Amino acid sequence: MAVSDIVSKQVYSTYEHKLEKEVLEGPIPKHLGIIMDGNRRYAHEYLESNIDEGHRLGEKKIENVMDWCLELGIKYVTLYAFSSENFKREADEVSFLMDLAESSFYEMADNPKIHNNRVAIRALGGLSALPEYVRKAIDYAYEKTKDYSDFTISICLAYGGRQEIVNAVKEISQKVQNGLISPDQITEDLISSHLYTWDMPDPDLILRTSGEVRVSNFLLWQLAYSELYFTDVYWPGFRRIDLLRAIRSYQQRGRRFGN
């Protein structure tokens, strides 16, 4: 390793340690939502357009970020992995992503760190649209961790925020039709209780990688008062220092919730 590389690494480490100390002295978001974007662009720029390898590195990044969030004490992490619109991609790419999802759920469910930290693993979205073998892996992870509540990691698959709200409206409408509730009883809390995230607080911070500045149909109801943070780092290249910067930005904002 060149002397310049050693010096650069030491400077980076010192800065990261200082930033971490600063972050830990402030409020840590209870619920972090992440739009994991940029696998394909990372592949085009750094992997000679090997899209599969870009997705593979993106999947491995999930474990890194999970470790960082556990260290920082973030109780809920919701990851946007595959949208309902992503089914429109090339069949080979979709198949590869489904295979990655399957292996990821099995690996997380058997990871000692998950059990040592009592992490519940969940999948959110239109799961019936997923291949049976992926749903089987999701069930495996859920059963292995369903009794845990210290931390929750949710992976959004075949997910769309608008469809989530539509589904909630349908369920509530059916209850009105069946005489279980009256229209006057429909409140924000009632709608929230029919969403995929019914047993979680709304996200405090939504983070998106890759430089895109939009939420792309992610947690549309839940992010009403979330702080939004966008970074131009591609997801496979996302670093711990990038997470710390996002949290520091969150801490520097005044959250008034409309007051």
Side-chain angles (χ1 to χ4, degrees):
M1 182 180 292
V3 173
S4 60
D5 292 335
I6 295 174
V7 172
S8 177
K9 187 175 181 180
Q10 289 176 337
V11 170
Y12 177 88
S13 178
T14 300
Y15 173 67
E16 182 180 353
H17 179 73
K18 180 181 177 182
L19 181 58
E20 179 182 17
K21 185 175 183 296
E22 179 183 343
V23 163
L24 289 175
E25 291 175 350
I28 300 296
K30 188 174 183 180
H31 185 177
L32 170 66
I34 303 179
I35 302 172
M36 306 181 296
D37 192 23
N39 291 350
R40 294 195 292 181
R41 276 168 286 173
Y42 185 91
H44 286 307
E45 292 190 25
Y46 301 107
L47 303 172
E48 299 181 347
S49 297
N50 187 336
I51 303 299
D52 287 356
E53 184 61 19
H55 287 312
R56 188 178 289 109
L57 291 177
E59 188 271 334
K60 290 187 179 300
K61 184 61 62 176
I62 292 175
E63 183 174 359
N64 297 142
V65 173
M66 178 190 73
D67 290 342
W68 302 336
C69 290
L70 290 174
E71 292 167 3
L72 293 168
I74 300 174
K75 285 185 63 66
Y76 300 92
V77 179
T78 301
L79 305 173
Y80 200 8
F82 189 88
S83 75
S84 51
E85 291 85 0
N86 288 155
F87 281 113
K88 299 174 184 177
R89 294 183 179 182
E90 294 292 332
D92 287 346
E93 183 179 359
V94 171
S95 179
F96 182 81
L97 289 169
M98 292 297 102
D99 291 345
L100 268 185
E102 178 196 27
S103 61
S104 181
F105 275 100
Y106 281 124
E107 288 172 8
M108 284 193 295
D110 292 331
N111 188 335
K113 287 181 287 189
I114 290 290
H115 301 284
N116 292 339
N117 289 282
R118 298 182 58 79
V119 181
I121 300 171
R122 300 170 53 179
L124 309 180
L127 305 185
S128 62
L130 299 172
E132 183 179 357
Y133 66 90
V134 177
R135 298 199 304 271
K136 185 176 179 181
I138 290 170
D139 290 342
Y140 178 81
Y142 173 77
E143 289 297 326
K144 294 267 286 190
T145 64
K146 65 181 180 181
D147 295 326
Y148 298 155
S149 59
D150 289 7
F151 296 91
T152 299
I153 293 180
S154 302
I155 311 294
C156 292
L157 293 169
Y159 175 87
R162 287 183 173 180
Q163 189 59 47
E164 179 181 20
I165 296 171
V166 168
N167 292 342
V169 171
K170 286 181 178 178
E171 290 178 8
I172 293 170
S173 297
Q174 189 63 54
K175 289 182 178 180
V176 171
Q177 185 175 342
N178 293 340
L180 299 176
I181 59 173
S182 69
D184 290 340
Q185 291 176 291
I186 299 175
T187 63
E188 290 185 14
D189 287 341
L190 182 69
I191 294 173
S192 293
S193 71
H194 285 77
L195 300 176
Y196 302 137
T197 55
W198 63 272
D199 59 346
M200 293 189 282
D202 289 342
D204 304 293
L205 174 63
I206 300 285
L207 182 161
R208 179 171 186 153
T209 58
S210 87
E212 302 293 350
V213 185
R214 55 179 179 268
V215 295
S216 295
N217 206 14
F218 180 54
L219 300 180
L220 296 182
W221 177 275
Q222 298 90 333
L223 61 67
Y225 292 104
S226 302
E227 298 297 330
L228 306 180
Y229 182 88
F230 303 95
T231 176
D232 58 5
V233 177
Y234 297 136
W235 176 247
F238 189 72
R239 305 163 298 175
R240 190 170 187 272
I241 200 168
D242 298 313
L243 176 61
L244 293 172
R245 285 171 173 161
I247 296 174
R248 180 180 62 181
S249 175
Y250 161 81
Q251 293 173 338
Q252 291 171 342
R253 305 179 191 182
R255 306 192 74 208
R256 295 182 293 275
F257 301 97
N259 294 325

